[in-house]
Amino acid sequence: MNLRLLTGCVLVCTAVLTNAQSIAKSYKAASQGNPISPCVFCADPTALEFDGRVYVYGSNDHQQFIANGKKDSNGYGAIKSLVVFSSDDMVNWTFHGTIDVGKICSSWGWRFAASWAPSVTWRVNEQGENEFFLYFANSGGSVGMLKANSPLGPWKSPLSKPLIDSSTPGVSPCNWIFDPGVVIDDEGTGWIAFGGGDPNNQGTKLMPGNSRIAKLKKSMTALDGKAVNLPAPYLFEASELNMMNGKYVYTYNTSWSDRDDWNSYEKRGAAPAPSTCSMCYMVTDNPLDPDAWVYKGEYVPNPGNFGFGWGNNHTHLQKFAGNYYLFYHSMLLEQNMNTGASGFRSIGVEKVTVQEDKQLIGKVVMTSNGPQAVHNMDPYSLQQAETMSTAGGVSYEDFTNVVKVSSVSSLGNDASSNLQVNMKAGAWTMLRKVDFGTEGAQTFTLKASGSGTLEIRLQRENAKPAVTLQFNSTSMQDHTFAVDPSVFKGVKTVYFIFTEASNVKFDAWRFNKEVIDGVKNVKNARNANNTRQHAGSYDLMGRRVKSTPTRGIYVKDGKKILSK
């Protein structure tokens, strides 16, 4: 970081009483892990692990929410982008913006319709380069794909049309050609499953006949042979694929139909009929042989209402940091916001027990709590402002792109670019499990533009400020302040609350273990007798001065003074 202590940046003494400022309401409780975002509607998750982080991609329901004027029901037709989040601890999530699939696939012309329900995978190619492949539902009639060399892009369309449509060998009859699920097996071969809908003209309630699976060529941009039927009982949508101990694991969502024909299913074994709109799975060691698939049962019953059950679900099973996690969507955020809109989903996650050797997935119950942190957050590393566990007063439109200036929303953001967060007076973000260590932090650096007052509060949003900081700059700057190491030590919940804000864009933050550039801690200034001294004048470096400064802002007897 290039550190600057600007004339307008003042560390206010603890004796200074700031004006009372109400803070914005949060739609996600501080103790809860779900949904992963407190302000972005998103659904149909897929995920990958790369370089110590889990990256989650989903349908951008929020694009439809904005197109609807934040009311009415979700019709999905305006969703032409995907959202991207990542985390290294499973409780604090970084929003990386959106992938503008409509723009990327503009060369498709009329063939492009929408971007829903992505599935992602990656590999190291023969040249030692990372390759990422993202497949998406192009509305309900075809499957498209994107490619990148980073989980954040830039993404490109290697094709001038969808990868799979009704003319693809082996696809017809398939009512809905969508919801792809992709995996690269232990031999390096790619596979893709897809399909859904009510029973086709050859199907039944038990076997709708709309699920397909196909082998991918080495390029991952074309099918290697025709697609074949995958006999999934009561299939409706939401295909995904995993590998476990050399076996292929196919997950999907079931239909609303009754189960009165379950006993006619010869491969049911001892498994009971799956509940309606639930998540089920099948296993095989030969994906192209329909007879080789074994039904394993239900792993996510539909919970009904109460914020979690809404129609069908879409899940992704992801191994990360030695544990398995199940990503899904629910209606929690919409329910908490209570805007009157309906059908706008949000992504959640739960830890799940998996026996890899037997390909057994434990039952998952959706909760608002979510998983525990896999490790504590490091405050001494640069952290992005768009990383948060929860927030108040921050909406989807408040995320702006650093490079592409967007006056209203971030719908055109490329996920490869960093974001900034517009912070209004009373807006705040919160981080969980922030570990300052035993010695504590000495200084804090805020990267922001605009003018405002930032209160850092610990443990509770209504706690007294641990430190109050004022900043002012017309361009993005690093503002560095002293903090009390006896307060900023141990594992804390950290709130960044902007009690005053004018044109504030919050970009990043970092605590430091050492005093930087001579910054002294005014808040904890002590005299020779080691008692706090609040009276007196201090310059912007926190040093006591004997005479009044001729110009600029300084602190005198616990009050801010502007000397001209």
Side-chain angles (χ1 to χ4, degrees):
M1 285 185 176
N2 295 318
L3 300 176
R4 301 180 181 90
L5 189 65
L6 302 180
T7 303
C9 301
V10 179
L11 177 61
V12 183
C13 298
T14 51
V16 175
L17 297 178
T18 59
N19 293 329
Q21 170 68 54
S22 61
I23 66 173
K25 180 180 178 180
S26 175
Y27 299 108
K28 174 185 174 183
S31 62
Q32 295 175 346
N34 286 325
I36 64 173
S37 172
C39 55
V40 179
F41 288 123
C42 46
D44 308 317
T46 186
L48 60 82
E49 180 180 0
F50 178 73
D51 197 24
R53 298 186 71 85
V54 59
Y55 289 83
V56 179
Y57 307 76
S59 302
N60 189 4
D61 277 23
H62 218 106
Q63 189 171 17
Q64 184 74 60
F65 184 62
I66 292 174
N68 282 12
K70 301 186 177 181
K71 58 184 180 180
D72 301 327
S73 60
N74 189 353
Y76 311 113
I79 301 175
K80 303 180 187 298
S81 59
L82 302 169
V83 298
V84 189
F85 291 87
S86 77
S87 177
D88 65 356
D89 61 15
M90 298 302 294
V91 297
N92 298 303
W93 291 90
T94 303
F95 180 47
H96 295 286
T98 61
I99 303 172
D100 190 346
V101 184
K103 181 178 180 181
I104 296 168
C105 298
S106 60
S107 64
W108 293 16
W110 62 269
R111 294 181 179 88
F112 176 80
S115 54
W116 308 335
S119 184
V120 69
T121 190
W122 74 283
R123 70 182 179 191
V124 178
N125 64 21
E126 294 176 348
Q127 290 73 44
E129 302 168 329
N130 295 318
E131 291 183 316
F132 296 81
F133 304 94
L134 190 152
Y135 302 79
F136 64 93
N138 181 34
S139 189
S142 62
V143 172
M145 73 158 301
L146 306 177
K147 184 179 178 181
N149 295 115
S150 157
L152 298 180
W155 295 91
K156 297 180 180 179
S157 173
L159 305 174
S160 59
K161 62 179 182 178
L163 169 69
I164 300 169
D165 59 22
S166 59
S167 67
T168 302
V171 170
S172 294
C174 180
N175 285 352
W176 296 342
I177 306 169
F178 77 158
D179 283 13
V182 66
V183 73
I184 296 176
D185 67 19
D186 300 338
E187 304 301 320
T189 300
W191 298 86
I192 187 166
F194 57 93
D198 292 324
N200 63 34
N201 55 20
Q202 299 176 11
T204 65
K205 286 189 304 182
L206 176 63
M207 287 294 170
N210 293 315
S211 182
R212 299 289 183 271
I213 189 166
K215 185 179 180 181
L216 289 164
K217 289 186 176 180
K218 190 174 183 179
S219 65
M220 301 287 287
T221 62
L223 300 193
D224 187 2
K226 70 176 185 178
V228 302
N229 183 53
L230 197 165
Y234 304 116
L235 168 113
F236 190 70
E237 60 183 11
S239 296
E240 270 283 26
L241 288 170
N242 284 86
M243 292 298 300
M244 286 186 197
N245 196 31
K247 302 279 188 177
Y248 302 82
V249 179
Y250 171 69
T251 60
Y252 66 99
N253 193 269
T254 64
S255 67
W256 282 275
S257 67
D258 61 54
R259 306 301 197 234
D260 57 6
D261 52 357
W262 177 246
N263 289 338
S264 66
Y265 180 43
E266 296 179 354
K267 292 188 175 183
R268 67 186 185 280
S275 57
T276 57
C277 307
S278 64
M279 296 301 304
C280 296
Y281 68 116
M282 303 181 72
V283 174
T284 191
D285 56 8
N286 186 358
L288 297 179
D289 180 3
D291 292 332
W293 286 95
V294 177
Y295 177 78
K296 302 286 279 191
E298 177 183 275
Y299 63 96
V300 185
N302 192 296
N305 294 318
F306 310 108
F308 290 102
W310 178 84
N312 285 40
N313 214 302
H314 196 125
T315 71
H316 175 80
L317 191 66
Q318 180 64 43
K319 192 173 185 179
F320 176 68
N323 299 308
Y324 273 97
Y325 295 91
L326 189 78
F327 292 93
Y328 59 89
H329 60 238
S330 75
M331 308 303 293
L332 269 181
L333 184 60
E334 177 190 275
Q335 184 184 62
N336 293 341
M337 289 179 69
N338 193 26
T339 65
S342 64
F344 295 96
R345 304 157 295 179
S346 48
I347 293 175
V349 61
E350 307 290 346
K351 189 176 179 181
V352 57
T353 301
V354 172
Q355 297 182 50
E356 290 182 328
D357 57 337
K358 297 180 180 179
Q359 300 86 48
L360 292 178
I361 306 173
K363 287 289 182 72
V364 178
V365 177
M366 301 176 188
T367 72
S368 58
N369 293 329
Q372 298 294 313
V374 298
H375 61 74
N376 296 332
M377 172 178 269
D378 178 11
Y380 304 113
S381 297
L382 183 67
Q383 301 288 349
Q384 297 300 316
E386 57 273 17
T387 301
M388 60 190 74
S389 176
T390 189
V394 176
S395 67
Y396 175 87
E397 302 96 297
D398 291 326
F399 293 87
T400 59
N401 191 277
V402 172
V403 179
K404 305 172 188 174
V405 177
S406 178
S407 60
V408 179
S409 73
S410 60
L411 295 182
N413 285 347
D414 187 322
S416 64
S417 299
N418 288 332
L419 300 182
Q420 299 166 344
V421 187
N422 293 330
M423 303 298 289
K424 300 173 283 292
W428 54 275
T429 63
M430 182 270 272
L431 292 308
R432 295 166 64 189
K433 296 290 185 178
V434 182
D435 191 352
F436 292 97
T438 58
E439 296 183 0
Q442 296 281 346
T443 57
F444 170 75
T445 299
L446 167 71
K447 187 171 186 179
S449 63
S451 61
T453 301
L454 169 63
E455 292 184 358
I456 303 179
R457 304 181 189 179
L458 303 177
Q459 305 303 89
R460 305 182 314 279
E461 64 185 62
N462 59 354
K464 291 183 179 180
V467 65
T468 300
L469 316 171
Q470 290 189 332
F471 60 95
N472 182 19
S473 59
T474 56
S475 60
M476 189 61 63
Q477 300 285 354
D478 291 331
H479 310 283
T480 299
F481 306 89
V483 297
D484 184 351
S486 69
V487 174
F488 289 92
K489 67 189 302 184
V491 179
K492 305 290 187 181
T493 298
V494 177
Y495 290 83
F496 296 121
I497 299 178
F498 290 79
T499 55
E500 298 175 353
S502 176
N503 299 317
V504 170
K505 288 185 172 60
F506 182 21
D507 185 51
W509 60 271
R510 180 177 186 169
F511 285 87
N512 310 288
K513 296 181 179 180
E514 64 282 339
V515 175
I516 298 177
D517 288 350
V519 177
K520 288 186 68 177
N521 195 332
V522 176
K523 183 177 75 65
N524 292 299
R526 296 173 183 270
N527 60 22
N529 296 323
N530 199 35
T531 58
R532 291 185 187 276
Q533 52 179 33
H534 296 305
S537 300
Y538 299 85
D539 67 14
L540 298 180
M541 299 297 285
R543 295 171 297 210
R544 189 165 186 171
V545 293
K546 295 182 179 180
S547 59
T548 299
T550 56
R551 61 183 302 170
I553 301 174
Y554 67 103
V555 178
K556 180 178 181 180
D557 298 339
K559 296 182 179 180
K560 292 179 291 181
I561 304 295
L562 175 62
S563 182
K564 298 181 179 180

